[in-house]
């Protein structure tokens, strides 16, 4: 039996481990035609799981960005956008753990009114 504690971390938890396993399998496919067909299928599954529409350019781009990060850029030959966009995506990620560098800035202030109840 395989436990989640023994598995690696997920970069994007909203897709789940099954999508991650599918991406890992697609990375092992050698034939370009089969690989391209499998990548398109995974993109459709990722959009369906996350609730995004592939008809919108922003959603399509976001799903492709997530696919590239989750595959550790092994699927570069399938990238449908310009190469400079892929280079910008690579530059925006931390080389150590492949997660975005930007963090949310939180205010460190005292809560004025606490919840009663």
């Amino acid at each position: 039996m395989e436990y989640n504690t023994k598995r690696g971390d997920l970069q994007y938890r909203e897709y789940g481990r099954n999508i991650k396993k599918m991406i890992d399998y697609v990375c092992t496919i050698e034939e370009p035609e089969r690989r391209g067909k499998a990548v398109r299928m995974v993109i459709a599954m990722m959009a369906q799981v996350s609730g995004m529409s592939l008809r919108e350019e922003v959603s399509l781009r976001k799903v492709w960005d997530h696919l590239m990060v989750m595959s550790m850029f092994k699927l570069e030959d399938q990238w449908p956008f310009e190469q400079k966009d892929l280079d910008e995506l690579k530059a925006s990620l931390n080389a150590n753990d492949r997660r975005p560098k930007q963090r949310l800035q939180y205010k460190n202030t005292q809560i004025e009114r606490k919840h009663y109840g």
Side-chain angles (χ1 to χ4, degrees), residues 33-49:
E33 292 176 13
R34 282 188 55 218
R35 188 176 196 175
K37 187 175 180 181
V39 166
R40 288 190 300 276
M41 180 197 64
V42 170
I43 288 289
M45 292 292 291
M46 288 172 70
Q48 184 177 10
V49 166

Side-chain angles (χ1 to χ4, degrees), residues 1 8 12 32 41 52 59 61 71 73 83 89-90 116:
M1 178 177 257
Y12 298 103
M41 180 197 64
M52 291 187 222
S59 298
R61 178 61 184 266
S71 70
F73 298 97
Q83 184 64 29
L89 178 63
K90 285 181 184 179
Y116 294 102

Side-chain angles (χ1 to χ4, degrees), residues 1-113:
M1 178 177 257
E2 187 178 16
Y3 295 102
N4 284 343
T5 56
K6 301 291 183 188
R7 298 177 183 168
D9 289 337
L10 294 174
Q11 288 93 353
Y12 298 103
R13 292 186 176 135
E14 61 265 23
Y15 298 114
R17 292 202 185 273
N18 288 331
I19 299 288
K20 176 65 176 152
K21 286 181 182 180
M22 289 169 53
I23 292 171
D24 292 341
Y25 172 72
V26 169
C27 291
T28 62
I29 298 174
E30 296 294 328
E31 297 176 29
E33 292 176 13
R34 282 188 55 218
R35 188 176 196 175
K37 187 175 180 181
V39 166
R40 288 190 300 276
M41 180 197 64
V42 170
I43 288 289
M45 292 292 291
M46 288 172 70
Q48 184 177 10
V49 166
S50 64
M52 291 187 222
S53 172
L54 291 180
R55 294 181 182 154
E56 299 173 9
E57 183 67 28
V58 175
S59 298
L60 180 65
R61 178 61 184 266
K62 186 175 181 180
V63 172
W64 271 100
D65 289 351
H66 291 176
L67 175 71
M68 286 297 136
V69 172
M70 291 174 75
S71 70
M72 299 294 188
F73 298 97
K74 293 177 185 173
L75 300 172
E76 287 184 24
D77 56 336
Q78 302 295 325
W79 182 254
F81 305 106
E82 295 180 16
Q83 184 64 29
K84 68 175 183 150
D85 297 335
L86 184 62
D87 295 336
E88 289 174 5
L89 178 63
K90 285 181 184 179
S92 69
L93 297 175
N94 191 351
N96 294 338
D97 60 355
R98 294 289 186 200
R99 292 183 184 149
K101 291 180 185 177
Q102 301 119 358
R103 293 283 184 182
L104 293 176
Q105 299 298 323
Y106 293 106
K107 295 179 182 179
N108 292 329
T109 59
Q110 190 67 20
I111 299 173
E112 295 177 15
R113 295 178 187 93

